[in-house]
Amino acid sequence: MCRVRRATPSTSLCYEGAVVLRFSVTTFGCQMNSHDSERMEELLRDGGGSRAGEGDADVIVLNTCSVREKAEQKLRSEVGRIGKLKRERPDLIVVVSGCMAQQEGAKLLARFPEIDLVLGPDNIAELPELLAEIRLGAPPFVRTEFDLERPQFLRAPNVVGSRPTAFVTTMKGCNERCSFCVVPYTRGPERYRPSDDVLAEIAQLAAAGVREVTLLGQTVNSYKDPKGLLARAPGCDPEDPDESEFAALLRAIAESATGLHRLRYTSPHPRHLTPSLIAAHRELALLPRHVHLPVQSGSDRVLKRMIRRHTRREYLERVARLWRAVPGVTLSTDIIVGFPGETAEDFEATLALIEEVGFVGVFAFKYSRRPNTPALRLDDEVAESVKAARLERIFATTEPLQQRHLASLVGTTCEVLIEGPSKSKPENLTGRSERNEIVHVADAAGLELRGKLVEVVVVEAFKHSLLAQLTAESRRSARAQTSSEPRRRSLPLVSVAS
Ligand code: 5AD
């Protein structure tokens, strides 16, 4: 039997039936989902639980994505696999959370009898209580209510010295109605987090050693402070319907966040790359010289059918303004191939746009039909074989662009924020440049550089990353600090490069 449950949200973690649980959380999809998964793990740990492999877990959470059909197929095979574990251990609790949970709700319970709880993204805070109910014998149920009245934004606990980079949610949901996109239906309408709350979280993270914050939101640059706390940003035109308070938020963060080296954001919508945001890029040293700016197509006809609310020319104009304001800024993008009605000519326009902008990273996807989306009503579907061939051509166009860009950096100096040891070569450290390139720093193991900005010289370009060496100056100062500093729990504030 299954039922749709309408509980009153509570943040209390004291609940009847609480037991120490071993849990496993698997994440599919975007950074928003990774962020949500971490918050679920924290809630379970706060309740006395501990992380375990799926084979030993009492609770398995599958935090799902539904942005493309592939993600859905993945869930099916995962649930099938976990179903076997459940047959061996009937007490195992299986939770499906995230966008698929929101989208499918009770249908998931009907299709997969092994699922005990279907949990929407806005109901994560209730997870411990809902698990307790299941342990007490509640039948499988669905909890997928949007928190429209009092939106909640889960924040990371303040763990000193844990990681030099962190995500901070500034808004959730989406009011755009791009015709291909399921997000407005799985994440609900836009809700913004008060700016004082965002600033407080960033200040805490910076005090704990975080050096790079990425602001998260489905259309992150449509931000407006619900408390009206932000002053109007320079360059802001209140008559412009594309204006938001995002530039004002960036400025407020830059003014107040001591210790932060970089402030990134994802994912912006091109129509909100307004003059005020471009001015912020020009003036704020905290903003790196890289923007991920999804364009989806280079054809006006397709952009219109996608309901993107900008033309190819408008996109290029905004990008040109950004280039003028921030020389050397690099761009990456998202592209959909095979959108209904996309002709060979439309596709050529997309390839031409990629060349014209010179994107250093392209995330390209074959269009897939998503439930509830307006594009379902469009005909002229593109054949799978055509989509596959177009995807290949996108890769063939973008790989050389990326290669050329990375090769052009050999011999140049750049600043890298060190994140930790390289996975493949422990004697190297890995970090990102201000343009977001992955940089492996050779022969740097043993130096206390995590969370620091170091100056390096690029010595080699690989397919998707760079190899670099510390400059003589940064090696000297890193050595001096490493030998004089006792190991500290919090990450040092000083940057090696002066
Ligand atoms: N089909 C294919 N790709 C999609 N995306 C979103 N919806 C779809 C869809 N129905 C892609 C877009 C978006 C990225 C996160 O996923 O390119 O920017």
Side-chain angles (χ1 to χ4, degrees):
M1 186 192 101
C2 68
R3 67 195 165 101
V4 177
R5 187 177 174 280
R6 302 201 181 277
T8 36
S10 150
T11 49
S12 163
L13 289 179
C14 306
Y15 43 88
E16 210 187 327
V19 274
V20 176
L21 293 170
R22 287 161 300 171
F23 60 82
S24 145
V25 179
T26 305
T27 312
F28 305 90
C30 64
Q31 283 113 330
M32 252 76 60
N33 258 17
S34 306
H35 193 66
D36 287 349
S37 288
E38 287 182 12
R39 304 295 78 78
M40 284 194 269
E41 291 203 0
E42 283 149 16
L43 287 167
L44 295 172
R45 259 198 302 267
D46 283 353
S50 58
R51 207 193 249 181
E54 277 181 355
D56 303 313
D58 304 306
V59 181
I60 293 179
V61 181
L62 301 175
N63 194 16
T64 62
C65 167
S66 70
V67 79
R68 288 173 293 276
E69 202 176 354
K70 224 172 177 179
E72 214 168 302
Q73 289 159 356
K74 212 163 184 180
L75 175 70
R76 249 174 267 142
S77 73
E78 284 292 300
V79 175
R81 193 172 55 76
I82 285 161
K84 277 194 213 130
L85 292 176
K86 180 120 179 169
R87 280 188 289 282
E88 286 160 22
R89 291 185 288 130
D91 285 344
L92 174 67
I93 299 174
V94 179
V95 180
V96 172
S97 61
C99 289
M100 274 289 283
Q102 190 69 42
Q103 178 188 299
E104 298 295 304
K107 279 191 250 163
L108 279 178
L109 294 186
R111 217 175 308 147
F112 302 112
E114 42 281 272
I115 299 176
D116 297 284
L117 170 61
V118 176
L119 186 73
D122 283 1
N123 304 100
I124 286 174
E126 299 159 50
L127 177 62
E129 291 157 72
L130 301 179
L131 286 178
E133 282 191 33
I134 294 169
R135 303 278 292 197
L136 290 168
F141 59 85
V142 175
R143 177 80 183 123
T144 51
E145 299 283 304
F146 286 133
D147 56 10
L148 300 179
E149 303 280 305
R150 291 181 54 223
Q152 284 188 35
F153 295 90
L154 301 172
R155 66 153 78 173
N158 203 12
V159 184
V160 172
S162 56
R163 261 189 307 203
T165 59
F167 290 107
V168 170
T169 308
T170 53
M171 57 87 69
K172 59 181 176 178
C174 184
N175 290 352
E176 304 292 325
R177 283 290 182 275
C178 301
S179 61
F180 52 81
C181 189
V182 78
V183 166
Y185 314 96
T186 58
R187 294 270 170 167
E190 289 180 13
R191 280 144 292 160
Y192 312 105
R193 186 173 177 189
S195 61
D196 53 352
D197 207 13
V198 173
L199 294 180
E201 181 171 7
I202 293 177
Q204 269 192 13
L205 288 167
V210 167
R211 296 291 165 258
E212 177 180 301
V213 161
T214 303
L215 304 178
L216 277 185
Q218 260 88 23
T219 52
V220 70
N221 56 344
S222 68
Y223 180 83
K224 290 198 175 72
D225 184 2
K227 289 191 186 165
L229 294 174
L230 294 170
R232 192 179 293 164
C236 169
D237 172 5
E239 302 297 313
D240 180 351
D242 292 343
E243 267 299 354
S244 72
E245 291 178 357
F246 189 61
L249 179 70
L250 296 177
R251 285 176 185 272
I253 295 169
E255 266 166 38
S256 69
T258 345
L260 214 60
H261 289 321
R262 283 182 189 155
L263 181 60
R264 298 188 192 276
Y265 56 83
T266 191
S267 255
H269 190 290
R271 79 186 181 94
H272 299 297
L273 183 64
T274 54
S276 67
L277 180 50
I278 290 171
H281 272 276
R282 183 174 50 236
E283 288 161 37
L284 303 181
L286 212 52
L287 295 179
R289 284 189 298 150
H290 172 79
V291 179
H292 180 73
L293 195 64
V295 65
Q296 315 297 356
S297 170
S299 150
D300 278 342
R301 217 178 57 85
V302 175
L303 286 171
K304 193 157 190 193
R305 281 161 76 89
M306 286 179 164
I307 321 183
R308 285 293 286 171
R309 300 162 81 175
H310 64 80
T311 61
R312 173 198 179 98
R313 213 184 82 198
E314 282 160 348
Y315 184 90
L316 286 171
E317 274 170 6
R318 297 205 162 184
V319 163
R321 247 185 263 158
L322 185 65
W323 279 333
R324 282 197 296 275
V326 190
V329 67
T330 56
L331 290 161
S332 55
T333 200
D334 291 345
I335 300 275
I336 296 177
V337 298
F339 187 75
E342 185 191 64
T343 61
E345 201 182 318
D346 293 321
F347 178 64
E348 291 302 327
T350 299
L351 290 179
L353 181 83
I354 292 174
E355 296 270 9
E356 186 168 346
V357 177
F359 291 111
V360 296
V362 174
F363 299 86
F365 312 100
K366 290 191 270 182
Y367 167 73
S368 68
R369 291 164 60 84
R370 305 315 297 134
N372 306 313
T373 56
L376 291 179
R377 296 194 296 273
L378 296 173
D379 39 27
D380 304 326
E381 244 183 84
V382 175
E384 262 318 293
S385 57
V386 175
K387 286 184 197 169
R390 289 182 184 171
L391 199 62
E392 281 305 314
R393 284 195 62 201
I394 296 264
F395 294 143
T397 307
T398 56
E399 288 274 321
L401 283 177
Q402 191 176 23
Q403 280 307 289
R404 230 179 293 151
H405 168 67
L406 292 178
S408 76
L409 298 173
V410 174
T412 64
T413 306
C414 67
E415 276 189 332
V416 175
L417 180 68
I418 301 293
E419 293 176 21
S422 296
K423 281 194 189 111
S424 52
K425 266 195 171 179
E427 66 273 26
N428 292 353
L429 293 174
T430 295
R432 285 189 183 254
S433 73
E434 60 165 337
R435 286 174 310 261
N436 213 26
E437 291 108 13
I438 299 168
V439 184
H440 306 289
V441 182
D443 306 325
L447 296 174
E448 291 281 319
L449 291 179
R450 210 160 156 264
K452 287 187 182 170
L453 270 186
V454 297
E455 200 179 48
V456 300
V457 180
V458 178
V459 292
E460 199 178 338
F462 301 128
K463 206 166 175 204
H464 299 292
S465 62
L466 296 168
L467 182 68
Q469 271 166 357
L470 292 170
T471 59
E473 175 54 32
S474 40
R475 183 173 292 280
R476 215 176 6 257
S477 83
R479 276 219 191 98
Q481 288 190 41
T482 304
S483 56
S484 66
E485 268 183 27
R487 270 191 94 83
R488 297 202 310 212
R489 286 201 64 222
S490 64
L491 295 161
L493 282 171
V494 290
S495 62
V496 169
S498 55

